[in-house]
Amino acid sequence: MMNITQAKQQIKDTVEAYLQRDEAGVFAIAPVHQRPVFLLGAPGIGKTAIMEQVARELGIGLVSYSMTHHTRQSALGLPRIERRSFEGLDFEASEYTMSEIVAAIYDYMERTGLRSGILFLDEINCVSETLYPSMLQFLQFKTFGKHKVPAGWVVVCAGNPPEYNRSVHEFDIVTLDRLREIDVQPDYSAWREYAVGRGLHPAVTTFLEAKKDCFYKVESKPGGGKSFVTARGWEDLADLIALYERMEKPVDRDLFEQFLRDDEVCDQFSVYYALFQKYRSDYQVDSILAGEASDTIRARARDAAFDERVALLGLLLDALGDSCADTLQLEDVCMRLRDVLREAKPELLDGASADEALGGRIVHIESDLARREDAGTVSISEIKRERLVIGILKAFLAECVLQQTPSGQAAFRTIEAAYKAEVAKVQPAINEASAKMDRAFEFVDGTMGNREMLVFLAELTTWRATTQFVSHYGNDMYYKFNENLQVDASRAGLYDRVEKLNNLDEGDAEAAKPVAAAGATTQAVSASVSKSSTDTAALAEHYANKEFEYGFASVCKMLLPASELKGKRVLDVGSRRGRGVYKLSSMVGNEGHAIGIDWSPSYVQESIDGMNRAWHDSGLKGNNMEFHVAYPEDLISAGIGTSTIDAVYINNVVTLLYDQQQALREFGRVLKSGGLLILETVFADRSRNEAVVEAAREIGNSIQAAHTEAENLAWLEAAGFDTPSIEDEYEVAANLGYKAGETVDTVLDDEDVHYKAVSLYVRKK
């Protein structure tokens, strides 16, 4: 069993693998051997949604059908009589017209220009009795009648278990043996990551933080029928609540019960929403973020119970998220305008009219957007950005008419002035959003305790807009409070975190210690040689003057899954002079982003200096890299938010870090659910003398600083990772040097230890 996020990654990996071709253009796995994926899971957990996400992220097509709507005739086609001849004999034979499903794929390809994609057949185990026998042929040969699914289209099916649908036909072994079955179960933590990223209404997310048992529920009613609540229901309700509030329409139980089909859950949420609205009215969040909170509001926050404070934090985060998102979008629109105007500038300076230079480009943007909307390969945020860009470009043309500068340099000067007016809006928006964040920190600090501040920080790094804002523009108050409190490396839910902290008295010396990572076992923690990584001075002392040029670099292969990294957000820890990030930059491409973290300011500056040349050499459209000075144990100080990274790479410098376990927990924090840790390290074949290990670490010998495989696996598990796969391994000597034929210093010892270098791929659970 896996959650929906893990299932999405499995499907994405499968589709990418099935679409791989060799140098001759032949599929690496022949279509006939490409087993369809079969997603089996409860209704409303997001099976259809992840198919849309996979297709959009891979830039391929998606054709979806619900098989319950098909008869044998519509799926297979209608029979028709054809005249045939064979060895001088004439006869009549039945053939079938093209299946509606197969025909839809060809229509889609012609309409969108996309030649590869996913054919998603939902409720496949609920097909009609007349169609059921034909499914085995389809699943084996990708054929309906005589008509095959076009090459380059991967079949993914979905269905509900029998307990949720009386129409389900359980597949026999012959059928199942032709499928790749993935059993999916409802999982709140995976859904919450998605919900926060989407910015769903805070009343829903804060309610479910306190009432996780209300997230997904399907039960039989005593008098017959089902009572149920699903992830789909919560998402749709959250969207409608936000819209109704903007339209000033009533939001009450009559609305809730249309989505929450369980009376008990509906009652609980109705009570909570009424309280949530009261908090919104009483606390006047806008006045708090404007720095104008009254003494009455501050006094109420000081005296409030924790449930009320959590609701207030949700309101603050929602408002901050909107402000940060608007600012980021404003800059994104200006960047897009800049690119369009750079293309149009030479034409205008050569005397072209504004209509010629911009009009054609507007038409192109409109048609391209319409095509991608039709294909379903564009996100809502991209649609909004492109429509804003189109509107502003049209306003530029109108300005040329008003200024009577229809063409040439005069038109360019008019457009340039209008563009600069748009750009001038960005900095004030940044200042205002940053000021709101400052005031939120000041309010929480002045009215609540360390527990609430820790919750606020943890949530701030989970919201995509606020994390991106801090990463792009920084925020002094964020860094100040993060340095004081050190957000837990493995983020737990709001109530889980407070439950742990409630065991400690506020102000007690123990309260300053970091909470152990969620899921860490006592045995794994006690077996560690973990240091107090919250001590910034200790980190600075450890990394001072440690360039670590020798030892680890000699066994760094940088074994990367190139196809999986395309379009992803990838972090290189210990990036040194940036060569690895430059390589990752080329792999992730124009749609991806590569980030380098290193503790050496001089190396980071050198990396930044070479960045411009690197992306040009890779043939990219623009820079997709950034570098930060930070310690591996404290990535959040560089603005790397929780669940914001698709893949983390680190080579065997990991054995030389101040606190390897804390670093692993930090990697787990920043990775998305199902995200990939690419870890190149060294295993010792027996338990080590820690004095020798510490001495090896001091001289920068990462091989001799190695621990056993068992210890490393325990640390990975405690940090929230799954069982790793070993992609490569080979024996290495303790004195293996930086360059071929050279050796490095070792620590004198009497240990009879053998070492092996390994390349591990490890998924975050």
Side-chain angles (χ1 to χ4, degrees), residues 327-434:
T327 302
L328 290 163
Q329 182 182 75
L330 185 60
E331 184 187 34
D332 196 26
V333 167
C334 286
M335 294 289 284
R336 183 79 169 92
L337 288 170
R338 182 202 65 184
D339 292 342
V340 174
L341 297 181
R342 278 179 174 176
E343 292 177 2
K345 180 179 178 180
E347 297 173 24
L348 288 167
L349 295 182
D350 284 345
S353 71
D355 281 334
E356 291 171 340
L358 286 189
R361 287 177 170 81
I362 292 171
V363 171
H364 173 74
I365 295 170
E366 288 177 326
S367 61
D368 181 64
L369 179 60
R371 179 187 62 79
R372 290 196 293 153
E373 282 190 85
D374 188 30
T377 58
V378 60
S379 67
I380 293 174
S381 61
E382 287 179 289
I383 293 172
K384 188 174 181 180
R385 182 196 67 189
E386 293 298 270
R387 288 180 178 170
L388 287 171
V389 166
I390 290 166
I392 294 171
L393 289 172
K394 288 180 177 178
F396 289 173
L397 290 179
E399 187 66 18
C400 287
V401 173
L402 289 173
Q403 298 295 329
Q404 298 182 349
T405 53
S407 61
Q409 293 188 15
F412 175 73
R413 284 194 296 271
T414 298
I415 293 169
E416 183 181 36
Y419 168 68
K420 287 181 177 179
E422 292 297 322
V423 173
K425 299 174 184 177
V426 175
Q427 191 59 53
I430 294 171
N431 295 342
E432 179 59 23
S434 189

Side-chain angles (χ1 to χ4, degrees), residues 484-554:
N484 289 340
L485 292 174
Q486 290 297 317
V487 177
D488 185 3
S490 182
R491 184 194 169 278
L494 297 184
Y495 278 72
D496 292 338
R497 180 183 302 282
V498 172
E499 221 169 71
K500 293 174 183 176
L501 294 173
N502 274 336
N503 294 326
L504 306 173
D505 293 328
E506 229 172 291
D508 188 283
E510 289 293 308
K513 293 184 179 179
V515 180
T521 64
T522 303
Q523 183 180 6
V525 173
S526 63
S528 76
V529 289
S530 181
K531 301 173 179 64
S532 175
S533 56
T534 59
D535 187 345
T536 306
L539 285 170
E541 182 181 355
H542 175 79
Y543 288 106
N545 302 317
K546 281 192 171 67
E547 303 302 342
F548 293 146
E549 285 291 1
Y550 298 95
F552 76 90
S554 58

Side-chain angles (χ1 to χ4, degrees), residues 283-294 297 439:
Y283 280 108
Q284 302 171 30
V285 168
D286 288 343
S287 68
I288 293 174
L289 297 183
E292 299 169 355
S294 67
I297 290 174
R439 293 161 190 153

